[in-house]
Amino acid sequence: MLFDPLKIRGLEIRNRVWLPPMCQYQVEGADGRATDWHLVHYGARAAGGFGLIVVEATAVAPAGRITVGDLGLWQDDQVAGLARLVDFSHRQGAAMAVQLAHAGRKGSTWRDLPHFPKGSQPLDQGGYATWGPTAEAFPGLAAPAAMGPEQVAAIPDQFAEAARRADRAGFDVIELHAAHGYLLHQFLSPLSNQRTDQWGGGFEGRTRLTRQVVEAVRRVWPEDKPLFVRLSATEWTEDGWSLDDTCALVDQLGGLGVDLIDVSSGGNIITRIPSAPGYQVALAAEVKRVTGLPTAAVGLITEPAQAEQIVQSGQADAVLIGRAGLREPAWPERAADFLGVDTPLAPSYHRGAWRRSG
């Protein structure tokens, strides 16, 4: 089943092996534009057989970047570079998604690459001011300014304008980033959202911004194109955002036009996470069981048999191969060989095809 196609709205994805969004920090000039690195990185994985490629966190505003090396879709001149990599990847048979994101209080950090410092990038060294639901800092980072009502109210339109540009670039899917401690997750969690206005307080208030973003994007995103949301299903601590909260929110998001939930976890606080192979799969399975909405599973899924079992058992509708996909651009081709499935190989690579006969 790992290599069965999956149809969502008007899009048919060739298989259930997907590349998750993983920041590359390779933007030059802090202008948010895609570079040759992005073309080669994503293009290689399209040629390597991934069914859906989710382009890394792409900021909807300059202050929404995690780092100055992040991609952006906050202005029109950022469309062309992304359109180039979308077009090339389409020609290799891959469907293309982009993850739209706002970092909130976790913005203006140094690039997460070797030889860079850790923590916040100071304003006098190229950093920028950050904003959050309140002025409370993420541990180890500079404190953000608390967002006023007008600033919060502007966020859905920023996501919607970025979605319009994503459509012009040719993307097939939008994924909204509401996980890993970035802005939408910061509003969802009672650990980072102590607001007392309409975007704070209880569950309805804390989920309001995410619902407003979904509604704003769905209004401008073509009806035949899927909309995904990435959620941290649990914060792995008492009194934080929980799996029950996630399922309650997903019930609402399905009615607002969301088609699939990309299920991850953690990222909003510092805590111990019980990391192990497939450690988040049970979360995806529970979200799917309770809500009936399709899910994708991620988190230390590295082996073909493991990935096949996840899909075959119905725990998730697709798997996202992250770190293994960085190491091995043609991971899907090896998985197909292991599972005895014939899949098209990029013609120029036919001499390197896996041979089940040894």
Side-chain angles (χ1 to χ4, degrees), residues 63-65 102-108 130-133 144 147 181-183 186:
R65 295 170 294 171
H102 193 300
R105 69 178 186 171
K106 292 181 77 173
S108 194
T130 59
W131 303 86
M147 299 175 73
Y182 297 114
L183 185 68
Q186 292 162 30

Side-chain angles (χ1 to χ4, degrees), residues 158 217 219 335:
Q158 292 177 350
V217 169
R219 279 194 296 269

Side-chain angles (χ1 to χ4, degrees), residues 65-283:
R65 295 170 294 171
I66 305 167
T67 79
V68 296
D70 288 12
L71 290 171
L73 271 174
W74 67 79
Q75 57 191 27
D76 291 344
D77 66 3
Q78 295 160 334
V79 172
L82 290 169
R84 181 180 176 220
L85 71 88
V86 168
D87 180 63
F88 178 84
S89 298
H90 277 163
R91 284 186 275 125
Q92 312 314 308
M96 294 297 290
V98 61
Q99 186 187 67
L100 299 183
H102 193 300
R105 69 178 186 171
K106 292 181 77 173
S108 194
T109 62
W110 293 100
R111 301 177 197 234
D112 186 15
L113 297 173
H115 312 304
F116 276 83
K118 301 298 183 183
S120 295
Q121 186 168 354
L123 298 180
D124 61 0
Q125 297 182 48
Y128 41 93
T130 59
W131 303 86
T134 67
E136 182 181 2
F138 182 82
L141 300 182
M147 299 175 73
E150 299 82 4
Q151 291 168 304
V152 181
I155 294 296
D157 284 342
Q158 292 177 350
F159 274 87
E161 287 305 306
R164 291 181 192 273
R165 296 184 182 101
D167 186 39
R168 285 167 45 200
F171 283 104
D172 306 293
V173 179
I174 281 176
E175 177 174 279
L176 302 175
H177 199 356
H180 299 169
Y182 297 114
L183 185 68
L184 297 184
H185 186 183
Q186 292 162 30
F187 272 85
L188 292 175
S189 173
L191 301 179
S192 50
N193 183 353
Q194 289 85 43
R195 298 177 72 98
T196 57
D197 60 7
Q198 62 179 312
W199 294 286
F203 177 86
E204 284 302 306
R206 288 185 282 105
T207 60
R208 189 181 308 278
L209 181 59
T210 296
R211 288 184 280 113
Q212 290 175 330
V213 167
V214 167
E215 290 174 318
V217 169
R218 190 72 268 183
R219 279 194 296 269
V220 304
W221 189 236
E223 183 65 24
D224 62 340
K225 290 189 176 186
L227 177 61
F228 297 174
V229 175
R230 174 169 264 197
L231 291 170
S232 284
T234 177
E235 294 186 308
W236 300 106
T237 188
E238 291 185 15
D239 303 322
W241 181 259
S242 69
L243 182 56
D244 287 342
D245 292 328
T246 296
C247 291
L249 175 59
V250 171
D251 271 335
Q252 297 182 4
L253 297 183
L256 298 177
V258 170
D259 300 292
L260 179 142
I261 304 299
D262 177 358
V263 182
S264 189
S265 69
N268 193 43
I269 59 169
I270 304 298
T271 189
R272 183 179 295 275
I273 296 176
S275 179
Y279 70 103
Q280 296 174 142
V281 173
L283 301 173

